[in-house]
Amino acid sequence: MRLVIARCSVDYAGRLTAHLPSAPRLILVKADGSVSIHADDRAYKPLNWMSPPCTLKEGVDGEAGVWTVVNKAGEKLIITMEEILHDSSHELGVDPGLIKDGVEAHLQELLADRIETLGDGYTLIRREYPTAIGPVDILCRDADGATVAVEIKRRGEIDGVEQLTRYLELLNRDPHLAPVKGIFAAQEIKPQARVLATDRGIDCAVLDYDALRGIEDDKLRLF
């Protein structure tokens, strides 16, 4: 991971345009190729970012102080450096992944055992399907044989949708799996997360813990 603290301005050009005026900011360049820009007062959420796969070029038309990040859709993140205060790189290695709490782990186990509750004809490929950025909770196939990646949370929020999006981008590079679609499954899904999932073509499933245990009706509500 590369950490750069710099006074910079940032322009995004794609489906819409956005501008961040000059200010000191933290720029993260991760091993997966992603680039994100952070302020000191926004918790973990970046001000702007570019998800992989994308390319970073430092210097445009001889201007060493301009970074241009371009993704496969041709969208651009242009970072104009005015002053670099810190620039360092660190090798973090492979992360062991998030250890889920008891409820999420049990939901994953129950859903894997009853994968057909996602729909008629669904079959399990495996739980904890390994990828370079961590394991996918469940990988399965639908009735048409298409690959489906399922991300399971107790409470579904935007960061969970972002996590599933990164898995889908990676899995769809594998010709043996592609095309891969996604299902974001949780006991409760926040409205903002549902909107983001829908915008990215990801289905949402509300999980009923008791229903999966066979105490009540065993149907998932899939939206």
Side-chain angles (χ1 to χ4, degrees):
M1 179 182 292
R2 184 178 177 187
L3 309 176
V4 178
I5 299 175
R7 179 174 292 278
C8 62
S9 60
V10 183
D11 292 278
Y12 170 81
R15 289 173 293 178
L16 48 81
T17 59
H19 175 71
L20 293 171
S22 176
R25 297 187 176 95
L26 168 65
I27 303 167
L28 298 182
V29 183
K30 294 187 178 181
D32 63 2
S34 64
V35 178
S36 57
I37 297 98
H38 298 259
D40 203 17
D41 62 347
R42 304 298 174 91
Y44 63 90
K45 294 184 179 179
L47 297 167
N48 214 326
W49 69 93
M50 193 70 80
S51 299
C54 57
T55 57
L56 167 62
K57 292 184 179 179
E58 298 184 41
V60 176
D61 297 328
E63 298 180 58
V66 177
W67 289 15
T68 303
V69 187
V70 184
N71 67 10
K72 62 181 179 181
E75 299 168 317
K76 293 183 179 181
L77 198 62
I78 301 170
I79 307 169
T80 303
M81 303 288 192
E82 298 173 13
E83 180 184 9
I84 295 179
L85 305 172
H86 175 85
D87 189 347
S88 64
S89 297
H90 307 270
E91 180 60 52
L92 302 185
V94 178
D95 191 89
L98 178 69
I99 299 175
K100 295 180 176 293
D101 64 28
V103 173
E104 287 186 6
H106 199 203
L107 282 170
Q108 182 194 113
E109 181 181 352
L110 289 169
L111 186 56
D113 287 343
R114 306 181 66 185
I115 196 67
E116 70 282 354
T117 56
L118 287 174
D120 293 337
Y122 270 71
T123 56
L124 179 69
I125 296 176
R126 67 167 290 176
R127 293 171 52 198
E128 299 289 333
Y129 186 87
T131 76
I133 57 174
V136 178
D137 285 337
I138 290 177
L139 198 69
C140 57
R141 296 194 187 278
D142 65 14
D144 297 321
T147 311
V148 182
V150 184
E151 178 64 25
I152 299 172
K153 300 292 184 186
R154 181 168 57 179
R155 180 180 293 108
E157 300 187 19
I158 285 177
D159 57 347
V161 178
E162 293 284 7
Q163 182 180 358
L164 179 54
T165 299
R166 292 191 293 272
Y167 287 143
L168 291 172
E169 289 175 347
L170 193 62
L171 292 169
N172 273 299
R173 299 181 201 174
D174 187 339
H176 299 292
L177 298 175
V180 184
K181 58 184 181 180
I183 294 178
F184 185 53
Q187 289 180 286
E188 173 193 358
I189 299 178
K190 297 293 186 180
Q192 300 92 333
R194 187 182 297 278
V195 169
L196 181 61
T198 300
D199 181 65
R200 296 184 176 180
I202 295 171
D203 289 330
C204 292
V206 177
L207 300 176
D208 187 319
Y209 187 72
D210 287 337
L212 284 172
R213 294 169 61 203
I215 294 176
E216 297 177 359
D217 179 36
D218 65 356
K219 297 296 184 182
L220 288 180
R221 298 189 294 280
L222 186 61
F223 301 92

